[in-house]
Amino acid sequence: MKILLTGANGYIGMRLLPQLLELGHTVVCLVRDNNRFSIDKETKKKIAIIEVDFLQEFQDNLIPKDVEIAYYLIHSMSSSTSDFDDKEAQSAKLFNKYMEKTKVKQVIYLSGIVNDEKLSKHLNSRKNVENILYQGNFNLTVLRAGIIVGSGSSSFEIIRDLCEKLPFMITPKWVLTKTQPIAIRDVIEFLIKVIGNKDTYANSFDIGGPDVLTYKEMLQQYAKARGFTNRIFTVPIMTPKLSSYWLYFVTSTSYKLAINLVDSMKMEVIARDRRLQDLLGIKTHTYTEAIDMAFKKIEQNLVLSSWKDSMVSGRFKKNLGKYIQVPKYGVLKDQKQIKIEDTDKVLENIWKIGGENGWYYANWLWKIRGFLDKLNGGVGLRRGRTHPNRIYTGDSLDFWRVLLADKKKKRLLLFAEMRLPGEAWLEFKIDGNNILHQTATFRPKGLRGRLYWFIILPFHYFIFGGMIRNIAKT
């Protein structure tokens, strides 16, 4: 079948894509920014990629007319704290308009469980999107999931951060809210098995794992699965805003996402029935099993996708393609170069930069810079990296975004997503004479930007000098 995959570079889309290809489907991927589509070149050869922004005007003849199945995996929860519901409604309406020009038979929408009488703004928006999609000229299948647990999922990474960093927690009362977590593996199985299943047409289904747990119990079971204990004390005095700040500073989540998550965590998300599970013959995994599967992927370096690599984890939501040409004029630069002996080894060192491996010199200063960025509302260093030794264009890398990762051309180009009075690039390149070039480029915004550069210039002398020397070591 010819399948349209919206949100292809999101957490779910990146997990779903290889499964669809393995089943022999022809896949057309819709993304807002191809520069952030972090997949390998071999996979890119097997698919068609179309850039579409569902918040922009309709463009005729953009989507192939012969698509048969479409996945709707678009959301805007992390892009705003005020009008994300309007953006989600606008996107759904435009999607319906695009589908009118195709022969699509079925649209599959992954939503959230919306059984509570009083819904959060996030869940109410998901319900509204569902109602809009039901107005389309296609058969809609809606899968409503709760907390999704898997390596790289936002829920899993937040729980992981909290438990690994805080053996003693004073928590808000929403940790006593009940939810029904589901393993990412089960979600993907549901999404695949409903393809072309007429029994699922024009219907909405709840999907969840076998366990109904409070968030507190999820934290405790995670700690137990990891072989340690944590102490959790619940207090009623933490306001939603304080709770959001608590999540933001302790975990790798963005502040906007933290606010919307806290708002939703006050609502119970429990599946009403198991109709779809029985219809498709799917046996879901327990929460503990989901944790074990997640860590097996992490330990084997097989994490396919992470929410941190998506657009929502960074500050710049627009097309990053315009930044791939590093400016030459009106900029300040720190340029260093060194002769190297083993090109392959040095290239491996470059491709391992960031995350747990660090930045090769004065890592404590990098951590301070990340903490200061977090205090200023930036992304900080907590995003890390998805793979320990592989980098794809579009990946997040601590507080950088990968603009270009080309091993054949021996070049890595990063763009800063930290809060700065300007724009910053960091480039590593090995030339034909085995010279490693390391260039930090800064385009300041006004006097404040120039003052910032000259204030940190002494630190650059030591940090960047030590970094290139250690990268060059073999």
Side-chain angles (χ1 to χ4, degrees), residues 229-290:
T229 58
N230 55 7
R231 298 187 180 277
I232 303 173
F233 298 91
T234 306
V235 294
I237 58 174
M238 288 187 76
T239 65
K241 192 167 186 178
L242 282 175
S243 297
S244 301
Y245 278 122
W246 180 67
L247 277 184
Y248 172 65
F249 281 111
V250 175
T251 73
S252 55
T253 186
S254 67
Y255 181 63
K256 290 176 182 177
L257 181 58
I259 290 176
N260 292 322
L261 283 174
V262 168
D263 187 38
S264 294
M265 284 173 172
K266 296 179 289 185
M267 312 293 153
E268 286 194 350
V269 282
I270 302 173
R272 184 174 294 161
D273 55 53
R274 44 175 291 152
R275 289 178 300 141
L276 189 60
Q277 186 173 327
D278 293 337
L279 175 65
L280 302 178
I282 294 176
K283 183 181 178 182
T284 54
H285 296 82
T286 66
Y287 174 63
T288 302
E289 289 171 338

Side-chain angles (χ1 to χ4, degrees), residues 61-77:
N61 299 319
L62 191 63
I63 296 175
K65 292 181 171 56
D66 58 346
V67 294
E68 302 168 78
I69 305 291
Y71 283 97
Y72 190 80
L73 304 175
I74 299 170
H75 67 84
S76 303
M77 186 176 75

Side-chain angles (χ1 to χ4, degrees), residues 121-163:
K121 188 175 182 178
H122 156 54
L123 292 176
N124 192 58
S125 178
R126 292 294 175 93
K127 177 64 175 174
N128 185 44
V129 167
E130 183 178 323
N131 293 334
I132 293 170
L133 293 177
Y134 267 119
Q135 298 170 18
N137 64 336
F138 43 74
N139 299 297
L140 181 66
T141 300
V142 181
L143 306 184
R144 298 170 173 169
I147 297 292
I148 297 176
V149 181
S151 55
S153 74
S154 59
S155 303
F156 175 78
E157 294 298 337
I158 287 171
I159 291 169
R160 184 184 181 188
D161 279 344
L162 290 173
C163 290

Side-chain angles (χ1 to χ4, degrees), residues 35 320-327 393 403-404 411 413 425:
N35 293 303
L320 281 182
K322 64 180 182 179
Y323 297 108
I324 203 165
Q325 293 296 329
V326 182
T393 298
L403 291 183
L404 180 69
R411 185 185 178 208
L413 178 62
W425 292 258

Side-chain angles (χ1 to χ4, degrees), residues 182-232:
I182 182 171
I184 180 61
R185 186 176 300 184
D186 297 332
V187 173
I188 299 300
E189 188 175 3
F190 277 113
L191 286 169
I192 287 174
K193 285 193 172 182
V194 296
I195 293 176
N197 190 320
K198 294 182 179 180
D199 291 333
T200 69
Y201 286 3
N203 216 329
S204 300
F205 303 91
D206 292 348
I207 59 173
D211 302 320
V212 176
L213 305 166
T214 64
Y215 291 105
K216 181 178 180 179
E217 289 171 333
M218 289 177 67
L219 292 168
Q220 291 171 329
Q221 287 194 24
Y222 174 94
K224 184 178 180 181
R226 296 289 289 148
F228 59 85
T229 58
N230 55 7
R231 298 187 180 277
I232 303 173

Side-chain angles (χ1 to χ4, degrees), residues 401-433:
R401 180 71 62 174
V402 181
L403 291 183
L404 180 69
D406 193 329
K407 266 197 169 181
K408 287 186 177 179
K409 293 184 178 179
K410 303 172 186 175
R411 185 185 178 208
L412 177 67
L413 178 62
L414 310 177
F415 181 72
E417 290 194 308
M418 67 192 86
R419 289 193 175 273
L420 294 168
E423 297 161 343
W425 292 258
L426 181 60
E427 181 178 11
F428 302 92
K429 186 176 182 180
I430 301 174
D431 66 21
N433 297 317

